[in-house]
Amino acid sequence: MLDLKLLRDLRNMKGQMTAVVLVMACGLTMMIMARGLVVTLETTERNYYTSSRFADLFCDLKRAPRFVETRLGEISGVAALETSVKGTVVLDLPGMKQPADGVIHSLPDGRPRRLNRLVLKAGRLPGTDSRDEVVVSAGFADAHGFRPGDPLDFTVYGVRRRFRIVGVAVSPEYVYETRPGEMLPDPRRFAVLWMGERELSRALDLDGAFNSVAFRLAPGADPENIKAAVDRILEPYGGLSSYGRTRHPSAKLLRDEITQLRGFSIAFPAVFLSIAAFMVSAVLTRLVRLQREQIAQMKAFGYSPFAVGFHYVKFALVAVGVATLLSATLGMWAGSAFVSLYRRFFQFPSLQFVPDWRALAAALGASALTSVLGVLGAVRQAASLPPAEAMRPEAPARFTPTFLERIGLHGLVPPSFRMALRNMERKPWQALFTAVGLAFATAIPILPGVMGDGVDYLVDFQWNRAQRQDAVVSLIEPGDNGAFLSLSRLPGVLFAEPFRAVPVRLLHGHRQWETAITGLPASPRLNRLLDEREREVPLPSFGLLLSEKLAELLHLVPGDEVRVEVREGRRPVLHTVVSGTIMDFSGVSAYMEIDALRRLLGEGDTVNGAYLKVDPFYWDAFWKRVKGIPRIGTVTTTSGAKENFSRTTEEMMGTSQALYFVFAVIVSFGVIYNGARIALSERARDLATLRVLGFTRREVATILVLELALLTALSIAPGLYLGARLSEAVLATANTETMRFPLVLTTRTYVVAVLTVLASSFFSFAVVGRRVARLDLQAVLKSAE
Amino acid sequence: MTTASSPPLYRARGITKVYFPGEEMEVRALDGVDLDLHEGELAVLLGASGSGKSTLLNILGGLDVPTGGTLFYRDRDLTDADERDLTLFRRDVAGFVFQFYNLIPSLTARENVALITEIAPNPMPPEEALGLVGLADRMDAFPSQLSGGQQQRVAVARAIAKRPEVLLCDEPTGALDVNTGITVLEALERVNRELGTLVVLITHNAAIAAMADRVISLSAGRIVSVAPNATRVPARSLSW
């Protein structure tokens, strides 16, 4: 019978219960979606890495003869290893004036790879002793619609040939398929290719040698010892530092994504569930107060305090149950939507959303716990009410003058304001929680704004202010001044700036970082180095400029000494100082004045390539010429990079932005609607009395919402502050050495946040205001409170 | 003080009020009531529970409209008045005193009165209204700090502060003991006498009828008698 009462009561409070359920569902949806994505990515990652025998350790080198492989295999703790050759290619693609570039890896002839096995999505691997057969990465194939059987023209090591695509595959090394040193996939202009080892070795002039090696470690092996051994053995062969999965570009990006999702799956639900718990608490405390007489009767009829208490807990449990059902559906739907987005960025053999059932149980548990905690006070009140006392109406509410009045400012506000202020002072917790909910409602829409503005700022900073070149051309092998001059004489080139890049290891105390030092003219006109206030930072004749992030990673400040170990040529070691830091948003780099770098390397006028300013009328001629120069390794254009960045981030962020926005609207509407309904219920008699005394509906509605309007107004400033800090925290989770987003807070973002919360407030005021018309005026004449 | 010679404030003819018309549970709360009420008059509506006195008061006060008949307040037709007109009528013309006081608990006595004077066209200062009901020294008390009789007197002050032409009181002493009830009736008597306000007072307590100019008795939705008192007994001489 009590359950029948429960159902009827629930029906009577369906508006409020809906508000509670929606807010709860926001938190749970986020939790179920994010946890599901974590499990999806982790499971897929684990299964893929295991089945494809993804390596634990990687090392690139200049060239080592085959027999070195035996010595590497003898390192204690190495379970398996695979040597290979790899190089860069320039592709001439049908319908594209601009060449694309890519990396090409070898596949062992006559046997499957021991490590980093490919998974074919179509076609086959190249046959033994095949000629001109190539496998292409799935991302690239999809972007161009390539299928097995299609021809593919590319230049490898200066020789342009026509190949035939025999297979389309994915590789655990390229789950995140990006150009080395870049942070976003660019499948239109970047390709990963594989071909038979013998053929590729010949093409790269690496017959009987290898320039890349991957290791699988035995369980329990110490990776640091193995790394040291590998580096020692490969050093004479031009070995760069070996690195584990934590530095592997693709593996690391995937890990970063999972870590970020895991953070979201806890932080956001916690906020939403706390707000929902407070809402449940407020609704049920009010219900218990309204049902004092019923509670007394139930107890008088012999229901135990526990039965009565549990009856009210059930209200919370029903809300939790409905919210869980709703959010399970929404969470899975949103999760699947994100998975199809992920399929575009992460190249797995297959990626299917895996719901995290344990998370669903945890979600149910977490929300049940928070809402039961929320109603505990009200339930204890209901359970402990002695029947006789409960039969009497509650004692009249006691009010006292507010703080403002005690300090003599009461004359400043009219009585209706005083009602609101005194209500707030009388129930400070209710006011506080409402304000906190509203502050979050104001804060949440700031996030999508900050994301969008951050991207805009980044694009503007990176490609309009810092980098003023139209194209970057890199040579396959370093060249001399003659090579630079030939680049500067390409058709349409208005201005050229040389650069020299060498791989280095930077050391400071026990910290070290593998990166490259880029040598630039003292005051670059194209690739400019700027500080956080967008001021040009000139390169000193002595010392290094570091990305701010790199300085942070190495705990360096300007003036500190740093050890530089060059990883190519005769491998000089230098002690120099950090002369300053510069602002950049992707990757971490070190810069030196180009001649200082050349002196350090003991070389003349060597260049790795040039930054070019190109006359837009000469692009066709420029490309035509570039395609014919075999020494050119890669050519990237600023407009292409900019366009790819904007498109990709838009795709990635659009969905999250929309999600945050919807959540913000639900929270602000939910909190205000709920608050207004409770205020209406608590003050129905007062409001009806005012109506009898001649107040219009509008005046009464104003008095009703005044308190909430005041709370809304009061919570806007803290909400904006909270939003800024929240955005900072979210951006901090995305702040890695691969990628940083600047925190850009614009007036527009703040205005949108304020308008969002005001619009949903006005909407809920309007909805509740309509109920003022339904107040029973005649009943108040007769009824005692 | 009946001024039958001047035109009445209220003129009700054949008023009926039917709830759930045409249904099985149809209730005729008022069944053809004819009534004139005059300026400065103190009228008591007497009747048992369910006699229709509250329904009549609701209609006189502009909280409800009759199902049939006609009702005029001066030249104002209240018979088919819409929500807006009724609100304006209550705001400008009528004052109400409720059985359970209905004060706003978060406002002091003075502020409860001030809340109404703020929206009235020609109010008296809240302090004056509270002085008229003998509460000049309790103006800054909150309702929870006042006795039942004091709260009811604040309610009377709130009702009269806007200088209403008519004061409608629904069992104003219903929740009070004799002595406290009498202080409230004295306040109403004073308002009627000093401000010339028409006071209509509902009660089921026949003893109170002695202070009225006219006693109107209702039963089953009809007026069964209208009895003028030759002399009004002062409120302080009443007892029950």
Side-chain angles (χ1 to χ4, degrees):
Chain A
M1 203 41 69
L2 271 187
D3 288 341
L4 194 63
K5 170 183 174 306
L6 175 75
L7 284 180
R8 300 240 163 96
D9 285 344
L10 282 172
R11 202 168 52 202
N12 287 335
M13 29 200 296
K14 56 180 183 295
Q16 278 167 283
M17 290 313 267
T18 307
V20 170
V21 163
L22 283 180
V23 173
M24 219 181 255
C26 284
L28 294 178
T29 300
M30 196 73 168
M31 184 166 172
I32 289 166
M33 181 198 82
R35 283 296 318 169
L37 288 175
V38 167
V39 171
T40 301
L41 289 181
E42 273 187 336
T43 316
T44 313
E45 178 200 49
R46 194 175 46 241
N47 292 344
Y48 187 29
Y49 284 179
T50 307
S51 66
S52 65
R53 297 179 56 83
F54 184 45
D56 299 309
L57 200 65
F58 310 83
C59 192
D60 291 333
L61 53 143
K62 186 94 184 147
R63 175 196 187 103
R66 281 265 165 242
F67 66 81
V68 178
E69 184 176 336
T70 321
R71 281 179 62 200
L72 291 171
E74 284 162 359
I75 298 172
S76 151
V78 168
L81 72 99
E82 178 92 82
T83 57
S84 61
V85 294
K86 70 177 188 187
T88 55
V89 293
V90 177
L91 302 99
D92 191 4
L93 297 169
M96 278 175 71
K97 284 179 186 157
Q98 181 189 346
D101 60 277
V103 271
I104 186 158
H105 291 261
S106 67
L107 293 168
D109 293 297
R111 66 165 174 87
R113 268 185 160 187
R114 281 190 286 264
L115 300 177
N116 304 334
R117 284 181 181 156
L118 304 192
V119 176
L120 281 169
K121 299 204 110 176
R124 58 171 176 83
L125 295 179
T128 314
D129 286 327
S130 64
R131 272 190 61 82
D132 307 335
E133 290 187 348
V134 66
V135 173
V136 299
S137 57
F140 174 71
D142 287 348
H144 292 277
F146 285 134
R147 272 183 280 173
D150 289 342
L152 190 66
D153 293 327
F154 59 84
T155 308
V156 54
Y157 211 60
V159 180
R160 184 183 156 143
R161 271 165 57 192
R162 169 156 292 196
F163 294 82
R164 194 161 55 85
I165 296 172
V166 294
V168 174
V170 293
S171 155
E173 287 183 277
Y174 291 96
V175 172
Y176 198 71
E177 200 177 306
T178 56
R179 190 178 280 122
E182 286 192 6
M183 58 200 165
L184 289 173
D186 186 6
R188 292 270 312 155
R189 283 180 284 258
F190 176 73
V192 185
L193 310 172
W194 294 270
M195 65 192 281
E197 185 159 339
R198 205 163 329 205
E199 193 181 3
L200 186 61
S201 300
R202 221 171 290 145
L204 293 171
D205 200 14
L206 283 165
D207 256 336
F210 64 93
N211 67 356
S212 179
V213 56
F215 300 86
R216 189 135 177 120
L217 307 188
D222 177 9
E224 290 312 311
N225 283 342
I226 298 173
K227 267 191 223 168
V230 169
D231 288 351
R232 208 167 39 242
I233 293 171
L234 292 180
E235 186 168 336
Y237 306 104
L240 301 177
S241 301
S242 53
Y243 55 93
R245 286 184 190 175
T246 50
R247 291 261 177 101
H248 187 278
S250 159
K252 188 183 157 353
L253 259 151
L254 182 54
R255 269 289 116 193
D256 284 351
E257 181 68 27
I258 293 172
T259 312
Q260 216 172 322
L261 278 173
R262 191 174 281 139
F264 276 131
S265 72
I266 296 166
F268 267 84
V271 169
F272 282 95
L273 293 184
S274 316
I275 297 174
F278 144 71
M279 287 168 68
V280 176
S281 166
V283 171
L284 288 193
T285 308
R286 180 62 197 157
L287 185 71
V288 166
R289 217 167 273 158
L290 282 177
Q291 298 194 341
R292 281 168 68 92
E293 285 178 39
Q294 297 179 29
I295 291 168
Q297 281 161 13
M298 283 190 261
K299 288 181 141 183
F301 293 148
Y303 282 102
S304 69
F306 176 79
V308 172
F310 189 59
H311 171 67
Y312 287 95
V313 168
K314 277 190 200 159
F315 280 88
L317 295 182
V318 168
V320 168
V322 176
T324 308
L325 276 180
L326 184 67
S327 50
T329 320
L330 283 177
M332 304 236 187
W333 173 79
S336 307
F338 265 92
V339 161
S340 38
L341 194 63
Y342 279 156
R343 278 197 205 108
R344 274 188 269 167
F345 294 100
F346 296 112
Q347 299 293 337
F348 285 109
S350 85
L351 186 64
Q352 301 298 334
F353 184 67
V354 185
D356 182 2
W357 298 114
R358 278 191 318 187
L360 200 63
L364 192 66
S367 46
L369 189 73
T370 45
S371 46
V372 166
L373 280 177
V375 303
L376 220 54
V379 166
R380 216 170 26 215
Q381 198 190 347
S384 63
L385 216 54
E389 191 192 316
M391 286 289 206
R392 282 196 296 271
E394 221 181 337
R398 288 185 182 282
F399 282 87
T400 51
T402 60
F403 173 71
L404 277 183
E405 293 164 71
R406 289 196 295 275
I407 60 169
L409 298 176
H410 59 281
L412 298 178
V413 290
S416 47
F417 259 81
R418 282 181 230 174
M419 285 164 76
L421 291 175
R422 285 173 192 158
N423 266 329
M424 283 191 244
E425 260 199 40
R426 187 162 160 270
K427 294 181 177 171
W429 289 108
Q430 190 171 318
L432 181 73
F433 273 109
T434 306
V436 168
L438 289 169
F440 270 105
T442 316
I444 295 167
I446 291 184
L447 263 174
V450 163
M451 287 178 171
D453 290 336
V455 170
D456 289 348
Y457 179 80
L458 196 154
V459 168
D460 182 56
F461 183 95
Q462 188 109 329
W463 288 292
N464 292 345
R465 292 172 201 280
Q467 302 183 7
R468 293 184 161 172
Q469 67 272 22
D470 298 314
V472 186
V473 180
S474 304
L475 301 170
I476 293 176
E477 294 287 338
D480 57 11
N481 197 44
F484 171 65
L485 284 177
S486 66
L487 293 180
S488 60
R489 286 181 198 137
L490 284 168
V493 171
L494 301 171
F495 183 71
E497 207 164 73
F499 67 87
R500 173 80 176 106
V502 284
V504 294
R505 178 189 285 165
L506 299 179
L507 297 104
H508 177 238
H510 63 281
R511 295 188 172 83
Q512 51 170 292
W513 200 265
E514 307 285 335
T515 181
I517 292 183
T518 306
L520 299 173
S523 286
R525 281 167 59 188
L526 295 180
N527 190 12
R528 304 193 313 153
L529 305 176
L530 305 178
D531 66 7
E532 73 284 350
R533 290 165 69 185
E534 299 174 14
R535 291 175 306 198
E536 245 179 276
V537 186
L539 279 154
S541 53
F542 178 73
L544 284 176
L545 288 183
L546 301 182
S547 300
E548 215 168 77
K549 183 72 187 175
L550 182 56
E552 179 197 316
L553 288 167
L554 287 170
H555 286 241
L556 283 167
V557 292
D560 283 351
E561 192 172 289
V562 60
R563 182 182 156 96
V564 180
E565 297 178 4
V566 176
R567 312 292 289 168
E568 83 169 33
R570 52 186 188 82
R571 302 198 167 217
V573 173
L574 164 79
H575 290 271
T576 185
V577 293
V578 177
S579 49
T581 58
I582 59 125
M583 195 67 197
D584 51 10
F585 297 105
S586 74
V588 292
S589 339
Y591 298 92
M592 225 171 164
E593 201 278 313
I594 190 164
D595 288 323
L597 181 63
R598 285 165 173 164
R599 274 196 301 278
L600 166 69
L601 296 169
E603 60 188 28
D605 47 11
T606 319
V607 296
N608 288 83
Y611 301 108
L612 305 177
K613 188 92 198 148
V614 181
D615 185 333
F617 289 106
Y618 286 88
W619 275 121
D620 287 356
F622 176 84
W623 290 127
K624 209 170 161 193
R625 195 59 195 285
V626 162
K627 285 178 182 175
I629 302 177
R631 297 173 65 186
I632 290 178
T634 59
V635 188
T636 54
T637 60
T638 307
S639 60
K642 194 165 146 184
E643 185 262 334
N644 183 52
F645 180 86
S646 302
R647 185 172 39 81
T648 315
T649 45
E650 205 164 285
E651 276 177 17
M652 281 206 283
M653 283 187 168
T655 316
S656 342
Q657 280 179 310
L659 210 60
Y660 287 133
F661 197 74
V662 170
F663 284 4
V665 169
I666 288 177
V667 168
S668 47
F669 180 75
V671 168
I672 293 180
Y673 176 77
N674 196 52
R677 283 303 302 272
I678 288 174
L680 180 65
S681 153
E682 281 175 348
R683 294 157 69 183
R685 187 183 153 83
D686 292 352
L687 299 174
T689 301
L690 294 178
R691 286 281 290 129
V692 171
L693 296 178
F695 280 68
T696 60
R697 282 179 192 169
R698 186 184 289 271
E699 285 163 344
V700 167
T702 307
I703 288 175
L704 170 66
V705 301
L706 194 60
E707 185 182 334
L708 284 161
L710 278 176
L711 284 173
T712 309
L714 285 177
S715 52
I716 280 178
L720 294 177
Y721 177 79
L722 183 69
R725 297 289 77 82
L726 203 64
S727 308
E728 204 176 351
V730 168
L731 292 185
T733 65
N735 179 343
T736 61
E737 65 270 16
T738 332
M739 179 85 197
R740 271 106 42 210
F741 274 105
L743 178 67
V744 182
L745 290 157
T746 57
T747 315
R748 191 187 56 183
T749 299
Y750 285 135
V751 168
V752 167
V754 172
L755 287 182
T756 307
V757 78
L758 287 185
S760 36
S761 302
F762 281 128
F763 185 59
S764 34
F765 288 158
V767 171
V768 176
R770 285 162 58 97
R771 290 188 164 256
V772 168
R774 290 196 236 153
L775 287 170
D776 187 349
L777 305 191
Q778 293 164 38
V780 300
L781 293 167
K782 281 292 173 195
S783 64
E785 188 156 28
Chain B
M1 187 179 69
T2 311
T3 50
S5 51
S6 59
L9 286 182
Y10 280 108
R11 213 157 57 84
R13 292 294 176 267
I15 297 183
T16 56
K17 181 70 191 178
V18 184
Y19 295 106
F20 316 112
E23 291 178 29
E24 207 174 305
M25 54 204 276
E26 178 180 294
V27 178
R28 296 185 81 80
L30 291 178
D31 192 6
V33 168
D34 297 332
L35 181 66
D36 288 346
L37 291 164
H38 299 271
E39 200 169 348
E41 185 179 18
L42 197 159
V44 164
L45 295 181
L46 207 59
S49 185
S51 59
K53 56 187 192 304
S54 286
T55 307
L56 180 57
L57 193 83
N58 287 343
I59 290 173
L60 294 177
L63 290 172
D64 206 348
V65 287
T67 318
T70 56
L71 175 67
F72 279 87
Y73 179 86
R74 294 190 192 272
D75 296 331
R76 212 163 177 154
D77 189 354
L78 296 178
T79 322
D80 299 310
D82 61 15
E83 211 283 320
R84 215 181 97 83
D85 290 338
L86 290 179
T87 301
L88 272 177
F89 177 73
R90 295 197 300 270
R91 189 178 183 119
D92 299 340
V93 178
F96 286 87
V97 177
F98 310 89
Q99 181 177 359
F100 296 103
Y101 336 134
N102 292 39
L103 298 178
I104 309 293
S106 55
L107 296 179
T108 61
R110 189 206 308 263
E111 290 160 356
N112 261 286
V113 179
L115 194 63
I116 303 305
T117 56
E118 275 181 5
I119 61 162
N122 178 31
M124 62 178 84
E127 294 77 12
E128 186 186 333
L130 285 161
L132 271 174
V133 298
L135 281 175
D137 54 341
R138 299 291 284 147
M139 286 195 286
D140 292 320
F142 283 92
S144 60
Q145 297 164 327
L146 296 170
S147 71
Q150 287 173 327
Q151 287 185 55
Q152 191 61 301
R153 280 188 282 153
V154 174
V156 173
R158 176 176 67 180
I160 61 169
K162 66 180 177 191
R163 303 183 202 275
E165 291 175 353
V166 46
L167 192 57
L168 302 162
C169 315
D170 195 349
E171 299 273 13
T173 59
L176 302 172
D177 60 53
V178 181
N179 292 332
T180 329
I182 282 171
T183 60
V184 170
L185 292 177
E186 278 181 319
L188 293 174
E189 195 174 50
R190 190 169 168 195
V191 169
N192 171 250
R193 193 176 57 235
E194 293 181 10
L195 305 177
T197 310
L198 162 63
V199 175
V200 184
L201 197 154
I202 283 189
T203 184
H204 61 268
N205 184 348
I208 292 174
M211 69 181 282
D213 291 307
R214 283 196 295 163
V215 182
I216 298 147
S217 301
L218 282 102
S219 177
R222 292 167 184 271
I223 294 179
V224 289
S225 69
V226 179
N229 284 328
T231 51
R232 275 167 56 167
V233 176
R236 66 172 176 281
S237 309
L238 297 175
S239 67
W240 59 85

